[in-house]
Structures are given as C-alpha cells and as structure tokens.
C-alpha cells in the first residue's frame, strides 16, 4: 500500500477539504492524471488530495486516507468519478457548515456526455444508476462514494467505512449515519458524471461479481444487509434472509422480461448465478482473500490508534 498526498491552493492555511480516493490501477496511468486535474480545479482556497494506492478493500483504503487527512471535512470519491463543475466541493461544504443535521452530503449523478448507446440502455433499465439534480437540500438514499462529503470527526466517530465488505459499504454507512440522528442529503448545484458498464461483457462481469460479493456479506456480516428502495427514498429497509433475497431475484427475471427491461433480467440472472457460486465455502474464501477481507476480523470498522 502506498499513500500519495497533494496540496493545492494557499499552502499557508490548513486545507478546507481532504479528498480521499482509493486507486487500484497503474499509478502513472492517464486516468489518474485526469482525476487529479479535475480535483485541483475546484474553487476552494486550500485543498488536499490523498490517493491510497493498492489497499484492499476500498473501505479500508478510505479509512486509511481519512486517518491521514488534515482537513475538518473529507470527500470520499471513486477513481472513475467525473466532477460536473468547479463548484462541487464548495457547495457540498456549504451544506455541512450551515446544516448541522446533515451528516453525509452527496451529489446528483448522470451519465457522462460521452456515454455510448449501451450505457444509456443501462441507465434506462437499471434502478439507482442516476439521480436528478436538485434546487434545494434534499434527503436521498442514493448518496454514494461516487462523491460524498462528511465531517472528519463524525466519520471517525461512526467507525468509518466497513472494512470487511467487498461491496455494499455505502448503504451500511448511511444506515449508521441515520441511526446516529444525522441526515443523508444531496447538495443543490453539486453534480457529477458516473460511467456505467460500456459493453455487454463488462455488464455481465459486474453483475456476477456483485452476486459473489453479496453472498459474502450475507454469510459473514448479515447484520449489514437490507433491501434498498429502487426509488432512492430515505425509508426504513427490510432485511431479507439469504433464501428470500435469492428468490426475489429469480422471480424478478420473468417480470423484467414482461415489463420490457431485458438488461435488468440479465442482471438478475448473473447476480443470482454469482450468488449461488458464492455459496461454496471454497469460493467464498477465495473471494475474501482476493479482496483483502480474509481472514475475518472481530472488529471490521476503522481502527484509531490511541
């Protein structure tokens, strides 16, 4: 694991925001340079960027970055995120400074302008892939590490992101935030672009891996699993068991075909096949080892050194 720190703006004052990004590709890739370029253009007086290279899983990488950060506010961002304008961070920061009830502030999301036909089809058929722009601070359940901001001290007190999950860290963090009496909201004027799978092969691979990751979570951390509302409303979630969740996906395949969403049917099918494959103990252990979450830790949350 390597940690890379960059500072932009006025270096005579502490950074207003620390941006933490896990990175798993070749560090000198063009993708990373494009990501750095868009972060440094944000209209803040002082900004810190921390890229955590090679730490797995992503929840652990983000926790490492936050513990090494210096600002009072932290942005968690994925390495594929494309910021929509130069005011994203400042508008999120304004919400956290003015509204003490807000614990997590996110952005509205849409497909990037260069999205191909397949990406647009994914957006039409798959729930929770995009979210509308808002004109006022709005409660939402689709705030993710595509781009989210929190107060650093609250993030640490919540325990940071779950370090034992391969996927599903965002809803689990939002749930703990709600239980602490804090809201999850979208900031007006804060927008980003989130790419989707750009081919059928990439789409199938993503959904199969999602099924594998889900059975890992159900098996190892069942308390973190709940069914998300497709509309993105901030509601209480039910917590189906393994059999119920698998049955829902299997029964959803013919219904998706009837309603004219074949990609959603395909997603449910490959999610279910990945889920079934993950029921094998040997496969689960290989999954956990490959994502840095095996062996299981007694406390999977952020470890703060005293």
């Amino acid at each position: 694991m390597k940690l890379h720190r960059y500072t932009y703006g006025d270096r005579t004052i502490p950074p207003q925001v620390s941006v933490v990004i896990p990175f798993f590709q070749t560090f000198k890739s063009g993708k990373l340079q494009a990501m750095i370029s868009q972060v440094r253009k944000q209209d803040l007086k002082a900004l810190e960027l921390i890229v955590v290279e090679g730490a797995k899983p992503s929840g652990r990488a983000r926790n490492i970055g936050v513990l090494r950060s210096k600002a009072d506010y932290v942005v968690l961002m994925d390495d594929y995120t494309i910021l929509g304008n130069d005011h994203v961070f400042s508008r999120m920061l304004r919400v956290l400074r003015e509204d003490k009830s807000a614990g997590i502030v996110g952005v509205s999301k849409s497909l990037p302008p260069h999205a191909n036909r397949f990406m647009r089809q994914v957006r039409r058929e798959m729930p929770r892939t995009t979210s509308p722009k808002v004109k006022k601070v709005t409660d939402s359940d689709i705030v993710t590490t595509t781009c989210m901001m929190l107060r650093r001290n609250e993030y640490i007190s919540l325990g940071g992101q779950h370090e034992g999950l391969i996927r599903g860290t965002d809803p689990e963090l939002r749930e703990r935030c709600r239980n602490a009496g804090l809201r999850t909201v979208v900031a007006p004027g804060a927008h980003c672009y989130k790419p989707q799978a750009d081919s059928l092969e990439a789409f199938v691979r993503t959904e199969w891996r999602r099924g594998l990751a889900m059975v890992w979570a159900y098996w190892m951390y069942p308390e973190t699993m709940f069914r998300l509302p497709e509309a993105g409303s901030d509601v209480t979630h039910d917590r189906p068991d393994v059999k119920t969740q698998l049955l829902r996906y299997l029964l959803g395949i013919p219904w998706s075909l009837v309603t004219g969403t074949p990609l959603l049917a395909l997603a449910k099918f490959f999610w279910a096949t990945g889920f079934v494959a993950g029921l094998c103990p040997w496969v689960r252990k290989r999954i956990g080892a490959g994502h840095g979450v095996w062996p299981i830790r007694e406390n999977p949350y952020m470890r703060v050194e005293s």
Side-chain angles (χ1 to χ4, degrees):
M1 188 276 293
K2 294 182 180 179
L3 187 142
H4 308 267
R5 188 190 305 271
Y6 307 87
T7 55
Y8 306 110
D10 188 349
R11 300 189 181 186
T12 64
I13 61 174
Q16 296 169 282
V17 168
S18 295
V19 183
V20 177
I21 303 176
F23 196 76
F24 304 105
Q25 301 185 30
T26 303
F27 191 74
K28 294 183 179 180
S29 69
K31 181 179 180 180
L32 176 64
Q33 300 310 314
M35 179 180 64
I36 292 174
S37 176
Q38 64 172 343
V39 168
R40 69 186 304 174
K41 291 178 181 178
Q42 292 295 297
D43 61 346
L44 293 174
K45 292 181 179 180
L47 178 68
E48 176 184 55
L49 170 62
I50 297 175
V51 180
V52 184
E53 179 190 5
K56 293 183 179 181
S58 57
R60 183 176 301 158
R62 294 186 181 102
N63 289 347
I64 291 171
V66 170
L67 287 175
R68 306 287 179 85
S69 65
K70 297 179 179 179
D72 292 334
Y73 300 87
V74 293
V75 170
L76 306 182
M77 202 168 88
D78 291 321
D79 61 3
Y80 56 73
T81 300
I82 304 171
L83 298 175
N85 53 55
D86 297 342
H87 319 295
V88 175
F89 296 163
S90 60
R91 290 176 180 176
M92 298 166 76
L93 181 60
R94 183 187 306 168
V95 173
L96 281 178
R97 284 177 169 173
E98 296 178 355
D99 188 347
K100 299 303 180 183
S101 70
I104 301 177
V105 178
V107 300
S108 59
K109 294 175 284 189
S110 64
L111 287 180
H114 66 266
N116 61 19
R117 182 177 178 180
F118 189 84
M119 283 188 183
R120 293 194 295 270
Q121 186 70 16
V122 171
R123 178 198 59 193
R124 285 192 293 268
E125 297 191 26
M126 298 293 292
R128 304 176 65 90
T129 54
T130 59
S131 59
K133 294 181 180 181
V134 299
K135 295 183 179 180
K136 62 179 181 179
V137 178
T138 304
D139 290 276
S140 172
D141 201 46
I142 317 185
V143 174
T144 68
T145 51
T146 298
C147 188
M148 65 163 64
M149 183 182 290
L150 306 92
R151 300 177 187 89
R152 182 180 183 274
N153 63 333
E154 289 179 348
Y155 179 87
I156 293 174
S157 67
L158 286 170
Q161 283 209 314
H162 197 292
E163 297 187 4
L165 295 176
I166 301 169
R167 289 179 182 267
T169 55
D170 295 336
E172 195 273 339
L173 177 60
R174 293 195 303 264
E175 186 79 351
R176 281 186 283 127
C177 186
R178 275 190 293 270
N179 292 340
L182 297 170
R183 298 161 59 209
T184 300
V185 302
V186 172
H191 177 72
C192 75
Y193 300 106
K194 180 183 178 181
Q196 299 295 324
D198 59 359
S199 67
L200 182 61
E201 179 183 357
F203 179 78
V204 166
R205 184 169 58 247
T206 297
E207 295 305 320
W208 193 77
R209 289 175 175 173
R210 186 170 294 163
L212 284 173
M214 194 64 70
V215 77
W216 167 269
Y218 266 111
W219 206 267
M220 303 300 178
Y221 303 102
E223 72 280 0
T224 68
M225 292 293 98
F226 40 78
R227 184 168 175 262
L228 298 173
E230 292 190 356
S233 58
D234 192 3
V235 299
T236 302
H237 313 304
D238 63 325
R239 297 178 181 270
D241 57 25
V242 174
K243 293 180 180 178
T244 301
Q245 186 72 341
L246 180 58
L247 185 62
R248 279 177 173 170
Y249 268 74
L250 291 174
L251 292 178
I253 294 172
W255 177 250
S256 297
L257 292 173
V258 170
T259 55
T261 51
L263 275 183
L264 182 56
L266 195 66
K268 291 179 181 294
F269 173 78
F270 279 99
W271 182 97
T273 58
F275 193 94
V276 171
L279 294 174
C280 171
W282 179 82
V283 173
R284 278 202 309 277
K285 187 172 181 179
R286 290 290 300 272
I287 296 169
H291 288 84
V293 292
W294 183 272
I296 303 297
R297 290 212 326 262
E298 182 178 352
N299 177 18
Y301 294 102
M302 177 184 282
R303 291 167 289 181
V304 182
E305 297 178 0
S306 58

